[in-house]
Amino acid sequence: MKPGAWRLALRIARRDALRAKGRSALVIAMVALPVLGVTGADVFFRSATLEPAERVVRAMGQAGGQLELIDRGASVKQAPDPGDHSYLAVNPKYETKDGAAPQYTPEQQRSRDTEPARLARELLPPGSTLVPDYPGPDTAASSTEGLLTTRTSEADLTDPVWHGRLDVIEGSAPTNDQQAAVTREFLNRSGLRIGDRTTVRGLESTPFTITAVVEYPGDLKGTELVTRPGTLIGKLPGSSGSSGRDTAGATRWLVKLPAGATLDWAKVTELNGYGFVLASRSVILHPPARADVPYYVEMDRIHGESGTALLDRTYVVILATVVGMALLEIVLLAGPAFAVGARRSRRQLGLLAAAGGDRANVRAVVLGGGIVLGLTGAALGLGLGVALVALLRTRAEEYSGARFGHFNLQPLDLLGVLLVGLVTGLLAAIVPAVQASRQDVVSALTGRDSLKPPSRKLALLGLLMLGAGSALALVGATSGFSSRTLAVLGGSLLAELGMVVLAPYLVGLFGKLGRWLPLGPRLALRDSVRHRGRTAPAVAAVMAAVAGSVAVNVYLASYDEQYRREYVAAGPPGAVILGTGYGTGTETKLLPQMRDTVERSITALGPRADVSHVDYKGDCQDGNPCGYIQVMPPKERRCPVFDRDTDDPVGPGEIKRVMSTDPRCQVNERRGSQYGDLTAGDANLLRNLYGVTDPAAGQALTAGKAVVFDPRYFKDGKVVLRYSEPITTGADGVRTKPKNIETAVDAVLAPSAMPAPGQLVISPDTATRLGFTTRPAGSVWLPGTAPSDGDQQKADGALAKLTDRTVLSVERGYQSKAGLVGLGLAGFAGLVALGAAGIATGLAAADSQRDLTTLAAVGAEPRIRRSLSGFQCGVIAAMGTLLGAVCGLLPAVALRKVQGLAADYPGISPEELADKSSVVLPWPTIAATVVVLPLLAAALAALLTRSRISLLRRTG
């Protein structure tokens, strides 16, 4: 067609769009909504993705670099940007065998012999200044309600070097030792304000006055207390007495460079030889070639294609499938709206053909509507998406926990989104355009339909597309990663399009049900079958909406079932568990008070079971050395990778082969107890923590036997304990490898109420007899009914006055959140399907005016219009929901198989692998969609349709 003809077609399309404002608004909204979502996601992603210069400021403020000593006597290989621990460290003292002396390089020996800060000054450019930068421990600070867990750090916030890394956003920076700055989250959680005072546990005599609110632009949700250097960390109980922030004691610094100095890649590699990792501003902004980075060379040699890449590709498959299916649904949903326009413009299009226009001209007018409405919707969605992100920027940053680098609008991205909207409008208008161009001119001018039987060849093509698409998606889900995205996405799209092609033929099959229906539904079904040209797009639209809903619900239900199977309870249902974990000795001494607090706060707890840790030569608290105790399966049941008799190195390939082929290595070791492998207690502990009610198990425990819960660890009435002495480091820096000792203990097997692999219970007397020691670890109660959330909050509040850590939990079983999400998505898809059915009903009502006039002429009651409209809408919705329920299963099943294959790593147990690829059909949700949606559509259509019938003059 010539450009002039297209200009005319676009003018006609624009005029029609302005005339039918309701239909035009509907199409524009359908196109604009996804464009708005994609635009918002793109702008958010681009803005949240930091440029190298922004990333540098977040990491080191205004410094020239960030220097950290990883290990004295080590050498390092690092990435140009060593963030997220992108480095490898090697220390010869850990590589020695059979007690041989470690062989240090000259650089490593100098690193061992020289104080870190002094060595750093010697290696850095002359005139460099080191600003200590090392985080303090978590501790507790006072709040309006008691104690608040918080991070600690020290920094001179009046020094400009911190700007961009740690910013003062309200108040003034601390200027003396009695002042502190806190994060916004600290204030929100503590109930304090600027000007209030807070005390740190253990330093109650030296309170700090809050003078400022600070924020880490990359961590807005952190709770932290920041004081001036030397005023907090070194004074905390349990510290070595050094602040950890003075230049001599620190091992991480911000480096302030003199004018004109830089830290290039050669300086970085030089410092690596001494065990330092250096994040250099100039290197991050201008990184070296990948081949010149030893860290990358080593990682490529070790890992080759990493598991992370495979995981990323899995997410690409999921994202591409979701986006592709969403675009197809938009096309199918907007198609009936264009069909409405084409049907209502039949006479106009017929006049165009009668005046000499060919089929291309007629198609151009309908396609012009797709261009006009598609561009309008895309432009509207684009503008709203950008405006929405700009308007909600602060909220979005707070929700994500990080500030944007800058408000980043990428023209090419936005142009691509605009083109997607245009293509969506065009695709939605293609089928109505082809149908309009093929209509008979005389029929169009007289308002009569040219009815044709469904094409069997087209139906066969649709059936082939459905079968081929299903096979491609399901086979592609378990094929190689290189073709998985295309296979799953292409197969799902092909199958749904095949169902669309099949729709006219399937509508005819549905029509055979009319002989068993009453008059109203029979007339509606007959009308739908006779006018397949308008019924099929409407059915496809409803099918698309329902398919999306079913796919999402199947996927969420399967994911929820996976999490349900993978959930490991910490105890029997309703168990109240108090534990200090591996906390400090102070918390262990407070345990009797904690027990009394819980029993006063929660009534009817029942008998209490006290739990004790079992240790060997040390208690592992407050940094004290201790031995190691482990429950072992019999020798023949152990995985050879983790139970080797020699220290000879084994390559990664051999480890992977053994882990993938040896069933002994493919074991699910997940457990829920927080008390460790070996605990000491009595029969109450067996009942309250493991759900063991067999009196024989308690009697065996009292008799000096151990109680084991996993049959894999039990053989011939025995269970094996492996223990070793604490690891020590000699004066020469060589670490002694303690010898493992194994002993067999008499035991009984008692099935527990939850998975407990590798866990064992003995009595305190048995622990003493074996040469072990015990220390209190907590208590467990098993009440008849689980305490209410209010009772638990009351107990937590009382415990907060004793400790700042969370030490109390109630086992309430797996808590599913997918039900509410699935219900919301099903409701949204239901609204979309109702809208599609409503559009189709409006089109059917317009085409049924002659039939209604005939009915009125032969004496039909006025309410027949209302009932007929309701049944027409119900019939279309019923056919669409049935087909959509079938179509929605395919992408959900395929994506679950993709995830299952991605989770297949060496050593995964068959049960875990089956859980990750499991498919669960939410039958109540599917049944409600298939049954309730058509009934609701029919009821709404009947209620919103006028009963009065306008008599029309019959034409022809």
Side-chain angles (χ1 to χ4, degrees):
M1 285 178 56
K2 296 180 180 180
W6 274 108
R7 284 198 299 270
L8 176 61
L10 292 174
R11 287 174 58 190
I12 295 174
R14 182 178 64 85
R15 184 191 65 188
D16 289 345
L18 293 175
R19 283 180 174 176
K21 292 183 176 62
R23 175 177 57 84
S24 300
L26 181 65
V27 176
I28 289 172
M30 286 182 176
V31 176
L33 282 176
V35 170
L36 184 151
V38 174
T39 301
D42 178 79
V43 175
F44 181 89
F45 175 77
R46 291 290 189 178
S47 301
T49 302
L50 302 181
E51 302 288 342
E54 296 165 341
R55 197 164 63 247
V56 165
V57 174
R58 294 276 175 95
M60 63 188 71
Q62 305 305 310
Q66 185 182 51
L67 184 68
E68 181 177 5
L69 179 64
I70 300 303
D71 191 8
R72 296 181 70 168
S75 60
V76 176
K77 295 178 182 179
Q78 71 164 79
D81 182 0
D84 297 326
H85 301 284
S86 299
Y87 59 82
L88 299 172
V90 176
N91 194 323
K93 71 179 180 180
Y94 302 129
E95 306 296 324
T96 58
K97 298 180 181 179
D98 301 325
Q103 301 297 314
Y104 294 102
T105 65
E107 292 84 0
Q108 292 171 334
Q109 189 62 47
R110 184 179 174 188
S111 173
R112 282 171 44 82
D113 299 339
T114 310
E115 185 268 323
R118 177 186 171 188
L119 179 61
R121 292 193 190 93
E122 293 173 354
L123 297 174
L124 291 170
S128 299
T129 302
L130 298 179
V131 179
D133 170 30
Y134 199 79
D138 288 359
T139 186
S142 62
S143 67
T144 57
E145 299 295 332
L147 292 176
L148 168 73
T149 302
T150 180
R151 302 186 311 229
T152 58
S153 63
E154 296 177 350
D156 181 5
L157 297 177
T158 62
D159 190 340
V161 74
W162 294 98
H163 293 174
R165 160 81 179 276
L166 180 60
D167 297 325
V168 177
I169 59 174
E170 186 179 343
S172 57
T175 56
N176 62 55
D177 294 352
Q178 287 75 44
Q179 296 178 344
V182 298
T183 59
R184 178 70 64 186
E185 189 70 11
F186 184 102
L187 290 185
N188 294 339
R189 293 180 57 198
S190 67
L192 301 175
R193 297 177 296 178
I194 291 179
D196 292 342
R197 298 207 297 180
T198 183
T199 58
V200 176
R201 190 174 67 174
L203 302 177
E204 288 80 2
S205 61
T206 56
F208 293 96
T209 300
I210 300 173
T211 64
V213 178
V214 295
E215 76 172 19
Y216 291 92
D219 181 17
L220 302 181
K221 298 183 178 181
T223 302
E224 186 161 332
L225 176 72
V226 183
T227 65
R228 291 184 59 79
T231 61
L232 174 62
I233 298 176
K235 300 178 181 179
L236 291 173
S239 69
S240 62
S242 172
S243 71
R245 283 287 183 166
D246 61 325
T247 304
T251 57
R252 189 168 75 182
W253 309 266
L254 298 181
V255 181
K256 298 191 332 185
L257 297 173
T262 60
L263 298 172
D264 56 14
W265 181 242
K267 177 60 69 175
V268 172
T269 55
E270 177 189 353
L271 286 161
N272 289 162
Y274 295 88
F276 288 102
V277 167
L278 175 61
S280 166
R281 179 182 296 270
S282 61
V283 169
I284 294 176
L285 296 179
H286 308 286
R290 184 178 179 89
D292 297 333
V293 180
Y295 171 79
Y296 290 146
V297 175
E298 183 71 10
M299 293 300 291
D300 291 342
R301 184 188 68 81
I302 294 175
H303 296 294
E305 185 176 21
S306 67
T308 303
L310 302 184
L311 186 62
D312 290 343
R313 292 186 184 183
T314 301
Y315 285 121
V316 169
V317 176
I318 296 173
L319 181 62
T321 303
V322 170
V323 172
M325 296 298 290
L327 289 177
L328 177 60
E329 288 193 17
I330 295 166
V331 170
L332 295 178
L333 288 170
F338 285 106
V340 169
R343 299 282 294 182
R344 295 193 174 184
S345 301
R346 279 185 302 176
R347 182 171 177 79
Q348 173 183 279
L349 297 175
L351 289 173
L352 178 62
D358 56 15
R359 289 186 174 183
N361 297 116
V362 176
R363 284 196 300 268
V365 171
V366 182
L367 289 175
I371 295 174
V372 170
L373 298 180
L375 271 178
T376 304
L380 179 63
L382 191 69
L384 289 176
V386 173
L388 197 61
V389 175
L391 183 65
L392 301 177
R393 173 176 178 173
T394 302
R395 292 289 182 87
E397 290 173 337
E398 292 174 352
Y399 182 79
S400 64
R403 298 289 182 200
F404 287 172
H406 64 283
F407 196 71
N408 192 351
L409 300 179
Q410 291 289 330
L412 290 179
D413 289 3
L414 300 182
L415 179 61
V417 173
L418 196 65
L419 290 177
V420 167
L422 174 61
V423 170
T424 300
L426 275 175
L427 291 176
I430 284 178
V431 174
V434 173
Q435 290 177 340
S437 67
R438 291 179 177 178
Q439 68 180 348
D440 182 72
V441 176
V442 176
S443 299
L445 293 175
T446 59
R448 294 177 177 174
D449 283 332
S450 53
L451 303 178
K452 297 179 181 179
S455 171
R456 293 184 178 271
K457 293 182 179 179
L458 196 62
L460 180 60
L461 175 63
L463 187 61
L464 291 176
M465 292 172 63
L466 178 62
S470 301
L472 181 61
L474 295 177
V475 173
T478 55
S479 66
F481 278 95
S482 59
S483 61
R484 185 168 299 174
T485 301
L486 182 61
V488 175
L489 172 60
S492 300
L493 294 178
L494 184 63
E496 190 158 340
L497 287 174
M499 190 67 82
V500 172
V501 174
L502 265 174
Y505 187 80
L506 295 176
V507 168
L509 294 181
F510 279 116
K512 296 182 178 180
L513 300 174
R515 69 185 68 178
W516 293 291
L517 298 178
L519 177 62
R522 187 165 68 247
L523 288 175
L525 190 58
R526 186 204 65 175
D527 183 72
S528 298
V529 173
R530 288 180 61 199
H531 301 283
R532 293 184 184 91
R534 60 169 162 78
T535 302
V539 170
V542 178
M543 179 192 74
V546 173
S549 171
V550 170
V552 170
N553 276 285
V554 170
Y555 185 81
L556 288 177
S558 302
Y559 229 114
D560 189 56
E561 180 62 22
Q562 174 191 331
Y563 286 148
R564 187 185 304 278
R565 294 179 184 178
E566 292 177 346
Y567 176 78
V568 179
V576 178
I577 302 171
L578 174 69
T580 61
Y582 292 94
T584 64
T586 302
E587 289 175 331
T588 301
K589 295 176 183 177
L590 291 173
L591 193 54
Q593 295 176 254
M594 295 181 187
R595 290 166 175 159
D596 293 340
T597 299
V598 173
E599 291 178 333
R600 286 196 305 267
S601 303
I602 304 176
T603 59
L605 284 174
R608 188 184 77 203
D610 293 336
V611 191
S612 296
H613 279 300
V614 179
D615 300 318
Y616 179 61
K617 293 192 175 181
D619 60 8
C620 303
Q621 287 189 317
D622 299 326
N624 296 325
C626 61
Y628 182 72
I629 306 176
Q630 185 179 8
V631 183
M632 299 294 295
K635 183 72 174 178
E636 65 275 10
R637 299 176 188 172
R638 300 175 190 175
C639 176
V641 172
F642 305 115
D643 192 67
R644 301 174 58 246
D645 296 327
T646 66
D647 293 331
D648 296 335
V650 179
E654 178 64 15
I655 292 177
K656 182 178 180 180
R657 185 193 66 79
V658 175
M659 295 287 289
S660 301
T661 57
D662 195 327
R664 295 174 296 176
C665 302
Q666 300 168 356
V667 179
N668 186 354
E669 293 284 356
R670 289 182 290 113
R671 62 191 71 174
S673 173
Q674 60 176 280
Y675 297 113
D677 292 352
L678 182 60
T679 55
D682 55 14
N684 284 336
L685 178 62
L686 296 178
R687 172 185 175 273
N688 292 2
L689 185 60
Y690 295 99
V692 177
T693 57
D694 186 359
Q699 295 169 3
L701 192 65
T702 304
K705 294 185 178 182
V707 179
V708 65
F709 310 99
D710 188 339
R712 194 170 68 90
Y713 289 80
F714 182 75
K715 179 183 178 181
D716 298 334
K718 301 283 186 179
V719 67
V720 177
L721 287 178
R722 172 188 287 180
Y723 56 96
S724 60
E725 296 185 353
I727 298 176
T728 58
T729 303
D732 56 356
V734 178
R735 300 178 66 183
T736 60
K737 182 179 179 180
K739 182 180 179 181
N740 290 325
I741 304 171
E742 293 190 0
T743 182
V745 181
D746 292 334
V748 295
L749 180 66
S752 64
M754 61 191 188
Q759 293 188 12
L760 194 71
V761 176
I762 58 178
S763 67
D765 292 340
T766 303
T768 303
R769 177 170 55 83
L770 293 173
F772 302 146
T773 59
T774 60
R775 56 184 168 88
S779 297
V780 185
W781 298 264
L782 189 61
T785 58
S788 66
D789 187 59
D791 288 341
Q792 186 177 355
Q793 290 185 31
K794 180 181 176 182
D796 286 337
L799 289 170
K801 298 177 181 179
L802 300 174
T803 177
D804 57 295
R805 298 194 309 116
T806 300
V807 295
L808 183 70
S809 62
V810 177
E811 178 53 53
R812 302 187 185 277
Y814 175 70
Q815 303 296 315
S816 173
K817 297 180 180 179
L820 183 60
V821 176
L823 182 62
L825 290 170
F828 175 77
L831 289 176
V832 175
L834 285 174
I839 295 172
T841 303
L843 177 57
D847 284 346
S848 302
Q849 285 297 320
R850 293 193 308 273
D851 294 339
L852 293 173
T853 301
T854 301
L855 288 172
V858 299
E861 297 181 5
R863 63 181 178 82
I864 192 64
R865 173 183 172 90
R866 186 186 297 272
S867 61
L868 183 59
S869 295
F871 286 125
Q872 284 174 332
C873 189
V875 165
I876 291 171
M879 290 188 287
T881 51
L882 285 174
L883 298 181
V886 175
C887 287
L889 297 177
L890 179 62
V893 173
L895 291 180
R896 287 296 296 165
K897 296 303 179 184
V898 167
Q899 288 186 310
L901 188 61
D904 187 10
Y905 57 85
I908 188 173
S909 67
E911 297 82 7
E912 290 176 287
L913 187 59
D915 291 344
K916 293 183 182 299
S917 60
S918 60
V919 176
V920 175
L921 301 182
W923 290 115
T925 304
I926 295 176
T929 302
V930 172
V931 176
V932 175
L933 185 60
L935 295 177
L936 185 60
L940 289 176
L943 289 174
L944 298 177
T945 302
R946 294 178 300 175
S947 298
R948 183 172 176 270
I949 300 177
S950 300
L951 296 180
L952 301 177
R953 179 176 62 86
R954 298 299 298 264
T955 306

